[in-house]
Amino acid sequence: MDGGADGERLAASLTAWLDRLEFVDLGTDEVTARIIDAAAAWAAAQGWRSYRRAASVLPLPPPMTDRHSVLDVACARRDGPPVVIEVDHTDRRRTWEKLTAETAAGRVALWVRWGPGRFAAPPAPIHLVTCEVSRHSGPPGAGRRHSRTTGPARPAPVHSARDVDPVVEPLPLPSADPGSS
């Protein structure tokens, strides 16, 4: 299968999987962890082995060039090249560099971006997977909180039923004439 078509198919599949994800009032690190868990569960549902915090082919910048970056999820599959997944809530050039190095090594790279929207497209051949999340201020000292619901919006509240006369009676308006009262 063509790597580009395979990547697009995998990105669409992971997007559909993440579309079911729901949470309320989580911190940034908690949301990232929840999405990484969901990505690993998606890989398992495909019948693949998945590894969290797997070593990337990209070395760390100096002075730690003897070590390698890590990937959020790496997947081994029988029916194609390995799949690597990074999860971020910001645009990070280092992520682009890491995923580009992974694709050069023959892997399919999926970049899961989450947040309130307006996600910049990464350079090819990195495949973008988006996960829209609402955010709001948390209690003092708690930072931003994030929520995601997949169901329909909550219905309007039911108002008490009263017998209301549909006849509208005009009310007297004060005159604009200063001499009249």
Side-chain angles (χ1 to χ4, degrees), residues 20-85:
R20 302 179 305 173
L21 189 61
E22 291 190 345
F23 48 85
V24 176
D25 239 10
L26 297 182
T28 301
D29 292 343
E30 295 168 303
V31 173
T32 298
R34 184 77 53 100
I35 294 172
I36 290 170
D37 289 346
W42 169 77
Q46 310 306 308
W48 305 338
R49 286 176 299 159
S50 66
Y51 307 90
R52 295 173 196 234
R53 301 202 43 83
S56 170
V57 297
L58 187 67
L60 289 171
M64 298 184 289
T65 53
D66 60 327
R67 297 184 184 162
H68 286 262
S69 291
V70 295
L71 298 159
D72 290 323
V73 180
C75 309
R77 56 187 185 145
R78 294 178 195 187
D79 59 343
V83 176
V84 296
I85 304 167

Side-chain angles (χ1 to χ4, degrees), residues 28-29 37 39 42 61 85 88 92 107 128 132 157 169 178 181:
T28 301
D29 292 343
D37 289 346
W42 169 77
I85 304 167
D88 287 308
R92 293 182 32 206
R107 294 165 178 86
L128 182 64
E132 285 211 39
E169 294 182 25
S181 300

Side-chain angles (χ1 to χ4, degrees), residues 10-179:
L10 294 173
S13 175
L14 181 54
T15 297
W17 185 273
L18 293 177
D19 282 347
R20 302 179 305 173
L21 189 61
E22 291 190 345
F23 48 85
V24 176
D25 239 10
L26 297 182
T28 301
D29 292 343
E30 295 168 303
V31 173
T32 298
R34 184 77 53 100
I35 294 172
I36 290 170
D37 289 346
W42 169 77
Q46 310 306 308
W48 305 338
R49 286 176 299 159
S50 66
Y51 307 90
R52 295 173 196 234
R53 301 202 43 83
S56 170
V57 297
L58 187 67
L60 289 171
M64 298 184 289
T65 53
D66 60 327
R67 297 184 184 162
H68 286 262
S69 291
V70 295
L71 298 159
D72 290 323
V73 180
C75 309
R77 56 187 185 145
R78 294 178 195 187
D79 59 343
V83 176
V84 296
I85 304 167
E86 277 292 291
V87 178
D88 287 308
H89 73 285
T90 60
D91 278 323
R92 293 182 32 206
R93 181 176 173 189
R94 180 78 180 158
T95 299
W96 289 19
E97 292 169 354
K98 184 188 326 182
L99 292 176
T100 299
E102 293 295 326
T103 61
R107 294 165 178 86
V108 176
L110 303 178
W111 188 18
V112 179
R113 287 289 319 284
W114 67 268
R118 297 175 59 154
F119 305 109
I126 299 168
H127 301 279
L128 182 64
V129 174
T130 61
C131 184
E132 285 211 39
V133 171
S134 65
R135 70 178 176 207
H136 59 279
S137 296
R144 287 191 173 153
R145 309 307 287 172
H146 308 275
S147 299
R148 176 178 170 82
T149 56
T150 60
R154 291 177 32 187
V158 177
H159 297 284
S160 57
R162 292 160 112 194
D163 292 331
V164 178
D165 186 1
V167 176
V168 177
E169 294 182 25
L171 296 174
L173 297 175
S175 172
D177 181 11

